[in-house]
Amino acid sequence: METIGTILQWLIFLGMAFTSILASVLLITRKNPIHSALFLILNFLCVAVIYLLLYSQFIAIIQVLVYAGAIVMLIVFVIMLLDLEEELRSRLKLFYSKVIGSVLAVLFLFGLIYGLVATSPTGKTGSYTAEKMSANVKAVGEALFNQYLFPFEVVSILLVVAIIGAVILSKRKLS
Amino acid sequence: MLVEYFTIGIFIAIAIAFACFAVLASHFLGQRKPSAIKQAPYECGMTTVGSSFRRVPIKYYIIAMLFLIFDIEVVFLYPWAVVFKEYRVFAFVSMAVFLGILILAYIYIWKKGALEWE
């Protein structure tokens, strides 16, 4: 039973990892930005399942609810606000951005490898084992109402500032 | 404990299978007699007027942005709901303060007319 579970977990991980990589490649190669946004959703959902396999339910649910839901919606709105037809037609040659992007991507890859090799990620021992993480959402809630009660209340003020900023910027009368 | 998510997995698998089945079944079972007029793009049964890419007004964006900000609340409401049974009145009061401040912002938006559709 134990081994079947492990194998199943591996299969799900492999499937999700490959799908997310495929979705990312399709995301950056599509010409139609709406298609890119759809592949971004697919990528977010696959990453959410990988979070779940790492025993981080809270992050997984936030990934679906906030990222795949609200953030992608905002991205789609931005796509609709812009006039993309001309850019689609002109088939811009983005040589310099590609060079800069490649350099940054390679640097990021080195950072990831360093993070995986030099520091130890979540493992069998230490303060954050899989067993402790299994009550993840509850732990988040308890930390929120004990240790971080004041910062939690301050967050609401931060959100109010964001709301007022959004309203002032969009309601400004054009002179 | 990941076994608990197995039911969600079955649910997602059935959803994907049903969607694939519906598309494939109509692809194979339905008969198709394509003609030039059938292949033409249309919207609401009419021929399209102008370009399909159109810039939408910024007023849609403010609604989207306000939705995003209020969606962030869910991040806090979810762990709050999980620990609510243990903390009871304390949890209720602290969430009431949190939501109270945000309701003030909501009243501000309302009074400012940001939700008005001019």
Side-chain angles (χ1 to χ4, degrees):
Chain A
M1 194 60 211
E2 191 84 334
T3 45
I4 294 170
T6 316
I7 292 166
L8 201 65
Q9 217 161 307
W10 253 106
L11 284 176
I12 293 169
F13 171 74
L14 284 177
M16 287 304 136
F18 277 118
T19 316
S20 67
I21 291 169
L22 187 72
S24 329
V25 171
L26 288 168
L27 159 69
I28 55 172
T29 50
R30 293 307 91 187
K31 281 279 177 234
N32 189 334
I34 296 287
H35 293 171
S36 294
L38 290 175
F39 282 117
L40 185 64
I41 297 176
L42 181 62
N43 185 28
F44 279 159
L45 292 180
C46 292
V47 173
V49 176
I50 292 173
Y51 281 140
L52 207 58
L53 291 175
L54 291 169
Y55 298 92
S56 307
Q57 303 103 306
F58 185 63
I59 304 288
I61 285 156
I62 296 308
Q63 175 86 2
V64 174
L65 218 60
V66 175
Y67 280 79
I71 303 275
V72 171
M73 179 209 63
L74 214 57
I75 290 172
V76 170
F77 266 85
V78 171
I79 293 169
M80 294 198 310
L81 286 172
L82 301 171
D83 191 11
L84 291 164
E85 196 180 21
E86 267 181 48
E87 281 169 44
L88 280 176
R89 273 205 203 122
S90 66
R91 309 206 173 245
L92 301 167
K93 294 279 177 282
L94 302 161
F95 179 71
Y96 288 109
S97 357
K98 274 181 185 165
V99 171
I100 295 165
S102 314
V103 170
L104 286 177
V106 170
L107 276 176
F108 183 65
L109 185 66
F110 277 124
L112 275 182
I113 291 169
Y114 174 78
L116 282 174
V117 175
T119 63
S120 59
T122 318
K124 304 271 181 236
T125 57
S127 31
Y128 293 104
T129 57
E131 286 71 37
K132 277 184 192 160
M133 294 290 281
S134 63
N136 193 255
V137 182
K138 205 163 191 187
V140 171
E142 273 165 3
L144 202 61
F145 289 105
N146 286 320
Q147 225 175 329
Y148 298 106
L149 185 65
F150 185 65
F152 162 67
E153 303 292 1
V154 170
V155 163
S156 68
I157 294 169
L158 201 65
L159 287 174
V160 170
V161 172
I163 289 168
I164 292 170
V167 170
I168 285 175
L169 282 177
S170 60
K171 280 279 150 178
R172 194 165 46 185
K173 290 272 176 289
L174 291 173
S175 51
Chain B
M1 74 111 238
L2 282 177
V3 176
E4 294 162 28
Y5 292 92
F6 196 65
T7 42
I8 300 176
I10 294 171
F11 176 71
I12 293 170
I14 291 173
I16 292 172
F18 180 75
C20 292
F21 169 76
V23 171
L24 288 176
S26 70
H27 181 80
F28 287 115
L29 296 175
Q31 48 176 325
R32 273 164 293 158
K33 291 171 189 153
S35 66
I37 194 79
K38 277 186 194 167
Q39 300 278 320
Y42 63 90
E43 54 177 66
C44 306
M46 307 280 283
T47 31
T48 50
V49 180
S51 163
S52 53
F53 277 99
R54 234 190 321 172
R55 297 177 69 176
V56 297
I58 192 87
K59 62 186 175 185
Y60 289 95
Y61 195 68
I62 176 78
I63 304 287
M65 212 143 52
L66 292 175
F67 165 70
L68 177 71
I69 292 165
F70 284 108
D71 197 55
I72 302 290
E73 282 178 57
V74 178
V75 176
F76 298 102
L77 278 171
Y78 174 46
W80 172 76
V82 172
V83 296
F84 185 74
K85 270 191 179 169
E86 286 154 47
Y87 288 73
R88 287 181 183 281
V89 179
F90 178 66
F92 180 76
V93 171
S94 31
M95 188 48 87
V97 172
F98 181 82
L99 289 180
I101 295 169
L102 279 166
I103 283 168
L104 284 180
Y106 185 66
I107 293 168
Y108 168 79
I109 302 169
W110 195 305
K111 290 283 168 220
K112 199 83 180 165
L115 298 172
E116 301 282 326
W117 207 255
E118 295 132 21

CSV table of all heavy atoms in Angstrom, one decimal, chain A residues 12-35:
chain,number,residue,atom,x,y,z
A,12,ILE,N,2.1,11.4,-10.4
A,12,ILE,CA,1.4,12.7,-10.4
A,12,ILE,C,2.4,13.8,-10.5
A,12,ILE,O,2.2,14.8,-11.3
A,12,ILE,CB,0.5,12.9,-9.1
A,12,ILE,CG1,-0.6,11.9,-9.1
A,12,ILE,CG2,-0.1,14.3,-9.0
A,12,ILE,CD1,-1.4,11.8,-7.8
A,13,PHE,N,3.5,13.7,-9.7
A,13,PHE,CA,4.5,14.8,-9.8
A,13,PHE,C,5.1,14.9,-11.2
A,13,PHE,O,5.2,16.0,-11.7
A,13,PHE,CB,5.6,14.5,-8.8
A,13,PHE,CG,6.8,15.4,-9.0
A,13,PHE,CD1,6.7,16.7,-8.6
A,13,PHE,CD2,8.0,15.0,-9.6
A,13,PHE,CE1,7.7,17.6,-8.8
A,13,PHE,CE2,9.0,15.9,-9.8
A,13,PHE,CZ,8.9,17.2,-9.4
A,14,LEU,N,5.4,13.7,-11.8
A,14,LEU,CA,6.0,13.8,-13.2
A,14,LEU,C,5.0,14.4,-14.1
A,14,LEU,O,5.4,15.3,-14.9
A,14,LEU,CB,6.4,12.4,-13.6
A,14,LEU,CG,7.7,11.8,-13.0
A,14,LEU,CD1,7.9,10.4,-13.5
A,14,LEU,CD2,8.9,12.7,-13.3
A,15,GLY,N,3.8,14.0,-14.1
A,15,GLY,CA,2.8,14.5,-15.0
A,15,GLY,C,2.6,16.0,-14.8
A,15,GLY,O,2.6,16.7,-15.8
A,16,MET,N,2.5,16.5,-13.6
A,16,MET,CA,2.3,17.9,-13.3
A,16,MET,C,3.6,18.7,-13.8
A,16,MET,O,3.4,19.8,-14.3
A,16,MET,CB,2.0,18.1,-11.9
A,16,MET,CG,0.6,17.7,-11.5
A,16,MET,SD,-0.6,18.5,-12.5
A,16,MET,CE,-1.7,17.1,-12.8
A,17,ALA,N,4.7,18.1,-13.5
A,17,ALA,CA,6.0,18.9,-13.8
A,17,ALA,C,6.1,19.0,-15.3
A,17,ALA,O,6.3,20.1,-15.8
A,17,ALA,CB,7.2,18.1,-13.3
A,18,PHE,N,5.8,17.9,-16.1
A,18,PHE,CA,5.9,18.0,-17.5
A,18,PHE,C,4.9,18.9,-18.1
A,18,PHE,O,5.2,19.7,-19.0
A,18,PHE,CB,5.9,16.6,-18.2
A,18,PHE,CG,7.2,15.9,-18.2
A,18,PHE,CD1,7.3,14.7,-17.5
A,18,PHE,CD2,8.3,16.4,-18.8
A,18,PHE,CE1,8.5,14.1,-17.4
A,18,PHE,CE2,9.5,15.8,-18.8
A,18,PHE,CZ,9.6,14.6,-18.1
A,19,THR,N,3.6,18.8,-17.6
A,19,THR,CA,2.6,19.7,-18.1
A,19,THR,C,2.9,21.2,-17.8
A,19,THR,O,2.7,22.0,-18.7
A,19,THR,CB,1.2,19.3,-17.4
A,19,THR,OG1,1.1,17.9,-17.4
A,19,THR,CG2,0.1,19.9,-18.2
A,20,SER,N,3.4,21.4,-16.6
A,20,SER,CA,3.7,22.8,-16.3
A,20,SER,C,4.8,23.4,-17.2
A,20,SER,O,4.8,24.5,-17.7
A,20,SER,CB,4.1,23.0,-14.8
A,20,SER,OG,5.3,22.4,-14.5
A,21,ILE,N,5.8,22.5,-17.5
A,21,ILE,CA,6.9,23.0,-18.4
A,21,ILE,C,6.4,23.2,-19.8
A,21,ILE,O,6.7,24.2,-20.4
A,21,ILE,CB,8.1,22.0,-18.4
A,21,ILE,CG1,8.8,22.0,-17.0
A,21,ILE,CG2,9.1,22.3,-19.5
A,21,ILE,CD1,9.8,20.9,-16.8
A,22,LEU,N,5.6,22.3,-20.2
A,22,LEU,CA,4.9,22.4,-21.6
A,22,LEU,C,4.1,23.6,-21.6
A,22,LEU,O,4.2,24.4,-22.6
A,22,LEU,CB,4.1,21.1,-21.8
A,22,LEU,CG,3.5,21.0,-23.2
A,22,LEU,CD1,4.6,20.7,-24.2
A,22,LEU,CD2,2.4,19.9,-23.3
A,23,ALA,N,3.3,23.9,-20.6
A,23,ALA,CA,2.4,25.1,-20.6
A,23,ALA,C,3.3,26.4,-20.6
A,23,ALA,O,2.9,27.3,-21.3
A,23,ALA,CB,1.6,25.1,-19.3
A,24,SER,N,4.4,26.4,-19.9
A,24,SER,CA,5.3,27.6,-19.9
A,24,SER,C,5.9,27.8,-21.3
A,24,SER,O,6.0,28.9,-21.7
A,24,SER,CB,6.4,27.4,-18.9
A,24,SER,OG,6.0,26.7,-17.8
A,25,VAL,N,6.3,26.7,-21.9
A,25,VAL,CA,6.9,26.9,-23.3
A,25,VAL,C,5.8,27.4,-24.2
A,25,VAL,O,6.1,28.3,-25.0
A,25,VAL,CB,7.5,25.5,-23.8
A,25,VAL,CG1,7.9,25.6,-25.2
A,25,VAL,CG2,8.7,25.1,-22.9
A,26,LEU,N,4.6,26.8,-24.2
A,26,LEU,CA,3.5,27.3,-25.0
A,26,LEU,C,3.2,28.7,-24.7
A,26,LEU,O,2.9,29.5,-25.6
A,26,LEU,CB,2.3,26.4,-24.9
A,26,LEU,CG,2.5,25.0,-25.5
A,26,LEU,CD1,1.3,24.1,-25.1
A,26,LEU,CD2,2.5,25.1,-27.0
A,27,LEU,N,3.2,29.1,-23.4
A,27,LEU,CA,2.9,30.4,-22.9
A,27,LEU,C,3.8,31.5,-23.6
A,27,LEU,O,3.3,32.5,-24.0
A,27,LEU,CB,3.1,30.5,-21.4
A,27,LEU,CG,3.3,31.8,-20.7
A,27,LEU,CD1,2.0,32.6,-20.7
A,27,LEU,CD2,3.6,31.5,-19.2
A,28,ILE,N,5.1,31.2,-23.7
A,28,ILE,CA,6.0,32.2,-24.3
A,28,ILE,C,6.1,32.1,-25.8
A,28,ILE,O,6.7,33.0,-26.4
A,28,ILE,CB,7.4,32.2,-23.6
A,28,ILE,CG1,8.0,30.8,-23.7
A,28,ILE,CG2,7.3,32.6,-22.2
A,28,ILE,CD1,9.4,30.8,-23.3
A,29,THR,N,5.5,31.1,-26.4
A,29,THR,CA,5.7,31.0,-27.9
A,29,THR,C,4.4,31.4,-28.6
A,29,THR,O,4.5,31.6,-29.8
A,29,THR,CB,6.1,29.6,-28.3
A,29,THR,OG1,5.2,28.7,-27.6
A,29,THR,CG2,7.5,29.3,-27.9
A,30,ARG,N,3.2,31.5,-27.9
A,30,ARG,CA,2.0,31.8,-28.6
A,30,ARG,C,2.0,33.2,-29.1
A,30,ARG,O,2.5,34.1,-28.4
A,30,ARG,CB,0.8,31.6,-27.7
A,30,ARG,CG,0.5,30.2,-27.3
A,30,ARG,CD,0.3,29.2,-28.4
A,30,ARG,NE,1.6,28.6,-28.7
A,30,ARG,CZ,1.9,27.8,-29.7
A,30,ARG,NH1,0.9,27.5,-30.5
A,30,ARG,NH2,3.1,27.3,-29.9
A,31,LYS,N,1.4,33.4,-30.3
A,31,LYS,CA,1.3,34.8,-30.8
A,31,LYS,C,0.1,35.5,-30.2
A,31,LYS,O,0.1,36.7,-30.0
A,31,LYS,CB,1.2,34.8,-32.3
A,31,LYS,CG,2.5,34.5,-33.0
A,31,LYS,CD,3.3,35.8,-33.2
A,31,LYS,CE,4.6,35.6,-33.8
A,31,LYS,NZ,5.8,36.0,-33.0
A,32,ASN,N,-1.0,34.8,-29.9
A,32,ASN,CA,-2.2,35.4,-29.4
A,32,ASN,C,-2.0,35.5,-27.9
A,32,ASN,O,-1.9,34.5,-27.2
A,32,ASN,CB,-3.4,34.5,-29.8
A,32,ASN,CG,-4.7,35.2,-29.4
A,32,ASN,OD1,-4.8,36.0,-28.5
A,32,ASN,ND2,-5.7,34.8,-30.2
A,33,PRO,N,-2.0,36.7,-27.3
A,33,PRO,CA,-1.8,36.9,-25.9
A,33,PRO,C,-2.9,36.2,-25.0
A,33,PRO,O,-2.6,35.8,-23.9
A,33,PRO,CB,-1.8,38.4,-25.7
A,33,PRO,CG,-2.4,39.0,-26.9
A,33,PRO,CD,-2.2,38.0,-28.0
A,34,ILE,N,-4.1,36.1,-25.5
A,34,ILE,CA,-5.2,35.4,-24.8
A,34,ILE,C,-4.8,33.9,-24.6
A,34,ILE,O,-5.0,33.3,-23.5
A,34,ILE,CB,-6.6,35.6,-25.5
A,34,ILE,CG1,-7.0,37.0,-25.5
A,34,ILE,CG2,-7.6,34.7,-24.8
A,34,ILE,CD1,-7.4,37.6,-24.2
A,35,HIS,N,-4.3,33.3,-25.7
A,35,HIS,CA,-3.9,31.9,-25.5
A,35,HIS,C,-2.8,31.8,-24.5
A,35,HIS,O,-2.7,30.9,-23.7
A,35,HIS,CB,-3.3,31.4,-26.9
A,35,HIS,CG,-4.4,31.3,-27.9
A,35,HIS,ND1,-4.1,31.0,-29.2
A,35,HIS,CD2,-5.7,31.4,-27.8
A,35,HIS,CE1,-5.3,31.0,-29.9
A,35,HIS,NE2,-6.3,31.3,-29.1
